[in-house]
Amino acid sequence: VRIGAHPSFLDRDNFGRSPQHPPAEQLFTQLCKQVDDLINIAEQENYGVTHLKPHGALYNQAADDPLLAEVLIRVIQHCAPNLSLFGLAGSNLLQLAQASGIKIRAEAFADRRYNSDGSLRARRFADACIDQDEEAVQQVLRLIRHQELCSIDGHLIHIKADTFCVHGDGVHAVQLLSSIRQQLIACGYQIGSQS
């Protein structure tokens, strides 16, 4: 298990999942505070923070918004340059971060559906999340074996991922993780943490 910072827009009412457009310097200050607070707590408990993954709307917007990407890059450079940045596989965010010398980890989702452009299906649609264990397992296996998945409108899209996400606030998150883990191990794959 590794500890990662998961900063977001200041949007408690909507759990950070509403699109926001704060001024860059304001957002930089807010994100640095969140990351620094977590690093301080972890250090008090003799743990290190190894990565940063933006949360919710910030994650989705920063995937293709160079201004938000720049803010996230600056946050890592300012707070802890050794942090890896987790982001949407194939996103401009990861390309910009890598060009800035930041370690990156391309992420795919076991429990989310995708649009044909490789973006995540917006949560405002009822079919955005995958709740069925078998569908999530098959999506992960297809991503591992073939680096592809089927988008919401039936197109095959290429996704090369280093790590996979299951949302912990999902109703079936623990069961979903257990099913994915069991199936991957049964197929001979090893599961480990990435930093």
Side-chain angles (χ1 to χ4, degrees):
V1 174
R2 305 284 173 133
I3 297 172
H6 202 32
S8 72
F9 294 129
L10 296 186
D11 176 34
R12 288 178 185 255
D13 291 342
N14 300 296
F15 197 55
R17 290 186 172 142
S18 293
Q20 307 282 323
H21 302 281
E25 287 308 309
Q26 176 184 322
L27 180 61
F28 173 76
T29 301
Q30 292 169 348
L31 297 178
C32 282
K33 175 155 180 24
Q34 293 174 53
V35 173
D36 285 339
D37 285 351
L38 177 65
I39 289 172
N40 290 333
I41 292 167
E43 285 177 353
Q44 290 171 17
E45 299 297 326
N46 297 313
Y47 290 102
V49 175
T50 63
H51 60 279
L52 182 148
K53 175 187 170 181
H55 169 70
L58 177 59
Y59 182 98
N60 292 321
Q61 287 177 240
D64 288 313
D65 183 330
L67 296 177
L68 288 177
E70 179 60 30
V71 170
L72 286 167
I73 289 165
R74 286 176 49 218
V75 167
I76 290 176
Q77 291 170 335
H78 177 79
C79 296
N82 60 326
L83 295 181
S84 297
L85 176 64
F86 282 34
L88 186 65
S91 67
N92 291 332
L93 168 63
L94 293 185
Q95 293 174 18
L96 292 170
Q98 190 169 40
S100 297
I102 293 173
K103 296 177 287 186
I104 62 166
R105 295 290 181 255
E107 180 176 55
F109 289 79
D111 61 353
R112 292 292 304 276
R113 292 190 177 92
Y114 285 74
N115 297 312
S116 58
D117 65 357
S119 63
L120 296 175
R121 178 86 162 155
R123 283 179 177 263
R124 70 177 179 271
F125 297 106
D127 60 357
C129 296
I130 297 173
D131 295 323
Q132 300 300 315
D133 291 10
E134 185 57 28
E135 184 179 354
V137 167
Q138 291 307 312
Q139 180 154 294
V140 171
L141 286 173
R142 189 172 190 172
L143 284 164
I144 291 171
R145 290 174 176 159
H146 307 292
Q147 299 179 347
E148 69 180 21
L149 57 72
C150 190
S151 71
I152 197 73
D153 56 0
H155 291 93
L156 281 182
I157 53 177
H158 178 78
I159 295 179
K160 186 175 190 300
D162 302 310
T163 187
F164 297 94
C165 176
V166 171
H167 288 82
D169 63 330
V171 176
H172 308 292
V174 174
Q175 176 59 41
L176 200 59
L177 280 168
S178 179
S179 295
I180 292 168
R181 180 181 176 84
Q182 288 172 11
Q183 187 63 44
L184 290 178
I185 290 171
C187 290
Y189 295 105
Q190 294 182 343
I191 299 171
S193 61
Q194 295 217 354
S195 58

